[in-house]
Each structure stands twice: as C-alpha cells, then as structure tokens.
Amino acid sequence: MGNILVTGGAGFIGSHLVKELLNLGENVIVVDNLSMGSKENLDLNNKNLTFIEGDISNQSTITELFNTYTFKKIFHLGAVASVAASVEHPLETHLTNLEGTIYLLEAARKQKDIERFVFASSAAVYGDDPALPKRENSPIKPLTPYAIDKYASERYVINYSKLYGLPTVALRFFNVYGIGQNPSSPYSGVVSIITDRLKKKLNGEDASFILFGDGSQTRDFVFVKDVVQANLLVSNNKDAIGNVYNVGTGEKISLMDLISTYIKISGIDLPIKKEAVRSGDIKDSYADVSALKSIGFMPEFTVEEGLKVYWEHQI
Ligand code: UD2
C-alpha cells in the first residue's frame, strides 16, 4: 500500500495528522527528534505506525530513511517551531528548517514516484505588512530566522515541482490551536496558555492570564483538526500541486473576544492582567482562504466550537 512519512509527527500538529492517517488505515513512518514533540502523542502500539527518533538536519538520517523505506506521500512538518528559539539560535534553526527541507526534497526527488510532498509553512512569512486579509500573493516580509527559512523552504518546495516534477504543495498555517499544544513557553500559542491558566484555576490554584496590549489585536485561530483536513486535501487533490495555500478559517477574532468566549465556555473566572504590547507583535492578521476553499476546504470549527472541544478534553 505504500508508506506515508510524517516529519515532526510526534509534535502538536504532526501527531494529529498521524492519528488521522492511522484511522484511514495508512502505514505511517514518523521521524521526530523529540525536541518539541513527545512519544506520548503517538499510539506506539499501532502496528501501522513506525516511530524513528532522528534529526532531519542530519543528512545521513534522511539517506538511511529512504534506503530503508519507500514513500508514497510525505508531510514535512518537522522544524524548530519556536520563533523565539530561531531568534536565539539562527544557525541551528537554519540547519533544521531549511537544510532539512532540502535533504528531504533531494531524497524524494531520487525516489522518483512520490505522489505528494506537503510542506508546513507559516503565516509568519507575511511579517508585519498591514494589508488584510493576507492573500497568498500579498507582500512577503519575513522578519525572523524562522520566517526567512520557512519562506526559503517554500520556494524550494514549490520549485521542485517545476524543476523536477516532484508533486509538491506548501501550506501557510495561521494561528493553530487545539489539544496537545504545549503551553510551557511564554511564546507558546496563546490559546494553549489560556487553557493552562483555566486548568490551574479549575484545580484551585491561583492563576491569571497576562494580556499583552488591550486585547483588540486580531488573529485567525484555526482548530488543529481543520489543519489536518487541509493537509489531507492537498495530498489528494491534483489541482493543489505546485501551489501555496493559506490555512486559516478566513475569520478574524480579537484576543479579548476569544478570552471572553473561552471564559464563558469553561465557566471559570480567570483574572486578566494587562501588560504592554509584546515587542515584535503584529496588530492584526487573518487569512484569505478562498484558494484552499476553491479546491474543497471547508473549515468545520468556529473558534467557539474548537474551544469547546479543546476544553472538554481538559476536564
Ligand atoms: C506568532 C508567533 C510569535 C511571533 C509572531 C509574529 C507563535 C506561537 N507565535 O505570534 O513568536 O513570531 O507570530 O507575528 O507562533 N498573548 C498574550 N499573552 C500571552 C501570550 C500571547 O496576550 O501570554 C498575545 C500576544 O501578544 C498576541 C496574541 O496573544 O497579540 C497571539 O499570540 P501568539 O503568540 O499565540 O500568536 P502570534 O500570532 O502573535
């Protein structure tokens, strides 16, 4: 039947994708260095799942992988996913986030019969350009090593389709949230941080949420299950080949509205402490998702619905 490779498959988004692929009866090989991900995110007892602890910045790991297995599809999500870490360690980030991508592309090109190579890019490539909504052809202004490597990787990925006929697609994820997102760093996704504080309050601990700014900033928060749907869609639809797509809901919500909605859902009175706007933050962001919708994408979760599912999983 052929194998599916998921790099970063033990991470937040990757592990949701792996679970869905296993539900569909696929044979899945996960490569993850466990720097951000965890084996606990994976059903290691599933006979259709093979977990390999390895680093994509090591070319011999990739070579050995492709010498051992052949793949029909590749979902490349493995990366230094923290923007803050990329600012601290630009070179290490680059080795994983750009060179790792090229190692994979080269191996995939040599295998010849890959059906699809899907790359996880980021809305970070748009930087702080104020034009909204962000369209795939909006100005690109990557501001951090993370964003620069994501954009460079995207160009490699897409041009491997034109240069070598490798059927590639790149997805620009907006603000993904959902079960399993790690709240441990101050730069973790804000929904995971709010969830963590609500849980602490639920358990009788003294917790509050620090809001940077006045809460009027807006984002396009997309539930992780919809991101999985987008990945599967572009891996099956031939019209997606060679294209870049935004992955969001196409709706913006202010942080304050998100917090109020979440407080209502949880029924927990979380104290909010306001602090100055976080340096480097953008004010507003949301995606135009008409391109992805034109090939069949239908986000299933409004923010309220996604938060409900997320919260029910916590209690
Ligand atoms: C993403 C990146 C961030 C930076 C930024 C550039 C992630 C998780 N973050 O941030 O590193 O590259 O894009 O545009 O990829 N907030 C609070 N309190 C908290 C945490 C966050 O008020 O404890 C605010 C934050 O100031 C922002 C909003 O919540 O206005 C969303 O924050 P985020 O880090 O989840 O996402 P974003 O898009 O700002």
Side-chain angles (χ1 to χ4, degrees):
M1 191 169 73
N3 299 305
I4 297 184
L5 172 63
V6 182
T7 71
F12 162 50
I13 302 172
S15 62
H16 281 274
L17 176 62
V18 168
K19 198 169 171 195
E20 189 56 26
L21 291 169
L22 291 171
N23 283 341
L24 293 168
E26 301 287 359
N27 288 319
V28 183
I29 317 282
V30 166
V31 175
D32 199 301
N33 68 358
L34 300 179
S35 60
M36 315 268 286
S38 161
K39 281 199 250 186
E40 283 165 26
N41 289 335
L42 296 169
D43 177 11
L44 296 172
N45 294 321
N46 190 313
K47 61 175 182 8
N48 292 337
L49 172 65
T50 304
F51 173 75
I52 297 166
E53 185 171 346
D55 205 312
I56 56 164
S57 66
N58 188 343
Q59 193 177 11
S60 58
T61 301
I62 305 290
T63 307
E64 198 186 318
L65 182 68
F66 280 74
N67 283 340
T68 314
Y69 302 97
T70 52
F71 299 107
K72 59 176 183 184
K73 290 182 183 175
I74 298 171
F75 294 91
H76 175 31
L77 294 103
V80 175
S82 159
V83 175
S86 84
V87 175
E88 287 288 308
H89 306 288
L91 185 57
E92 290 85 340
T93 303
H94 176 77
L95 296 178
T96 301
N97 289 13
L98 181 58
E99 301 214 353
T101 301
I102 304 173
Y103 295 150
L104 280 162
L105 285 169
E106 275 297 274
R109 171 164 86 99
K110 285 183 191 132
Q111 199 205 284
K112 291 194 167 65
D113 54 355
I114 303 264
E115 292 166 27
R116 196 73 89 252
F117 186 113
V118 181
F119 172 63
S121 185
S122 167
V125 302
Y126 296 114
D128 62 359
D129 193 280
L132 289 172
K134 310 284 188 194
R135 298 200 168 86
E136 288 85 352
N137 60 3
S138 291
I140 295 297
K141 249 174 126 182
L143 300 174
T144 58
Y146 173 83
I148 294 166
D149 283 330
K150 281 292 179 190
Y151 186 59
S153 288
E154 245 186 39
R155 297 323 307 165
Y156 272 99
V157 165
I158 294 307
N159 286 306
Y160 261 62
S161 152
K162 298 187 181 80
L163 293 169
Y164 309 113
L166 183 70
T168 55
V169 189
L171 298 176
R172 292 178 180 159
F173 300 163
F174 278 66
N175 289 68
V176 187
Y177 69 97
I179 296 150
Q181 192 172 25
N182 187 341
S184 63
S185 132
Y187 296 96
S188 297
V190 70
V191 181
S192 72
I193 295 176
I194 304 171
T195 306
D196 178 71
R197 305 302 182 264
L198 287 171
K199 257 171 80 177
K200 288 204 163 95
K201 261 288 183 132
L202 179 71
N203 295 329
E205 289 174 51
D206 185 25
S208 58
F209 173 72
I210 294 174
L211 172 63
F212 302 125
D214 61 4
S216 66
Q217 62 266 54
T218 57
R219 294 290 184 276
D220 187 334
F221 290 100
V222 57
F223 194 52
V224 66
K225 282 183 193 277
D226 283 329
V227 177
V228 169
Q229 183 207 138
N231 274 275
L232 295 179
L233 174 69
V234 300
S235 81
N236 291 322
N237 190 316
K238 284 204 162 42
D239 294 338
I241 294 170
N243 292 329
V244 179
Y245 295 98
N246 287 337
V247 181
T249 61
E251 307 280 338
K252 60 179 170 198
I253 180 170
S254 74
L255 188 52
M256 201 42 122
D257 284 349
L258 177 129
I259 295 167
S260 313
T261 305
Y262 209 177
I263 285 179
K264 205 154 71 191
I265 288 168
S266 67
I268 289 167
D269 188 18
L270 183 69
I272 311 288
K273 294 183 179 160
K274 287 192 181 163
E275 287 191 7
V277 173
R278 191 169 67 176
S279 105
D281 266 13
I282 54 168
K283 176 75 171 70
D284 299 299
S285 157
Y286 79 100
D288 179 327
V289 288
S290 51
L292 198 59
K293 280 186 171 170
S294 77
I295 60 163
F297 180 59
M298 281 277 291
E300 283 180 30
F301 296 86
T302 61
V303 166
E304 191 168 358
E305 287 161 345
L307 290 176
K308 262 189 196 144
V309 175
Y310 192 6
W311 183 248
E312 273 156 20
H313 193 264
Q314 311 300 319
I315 50 180

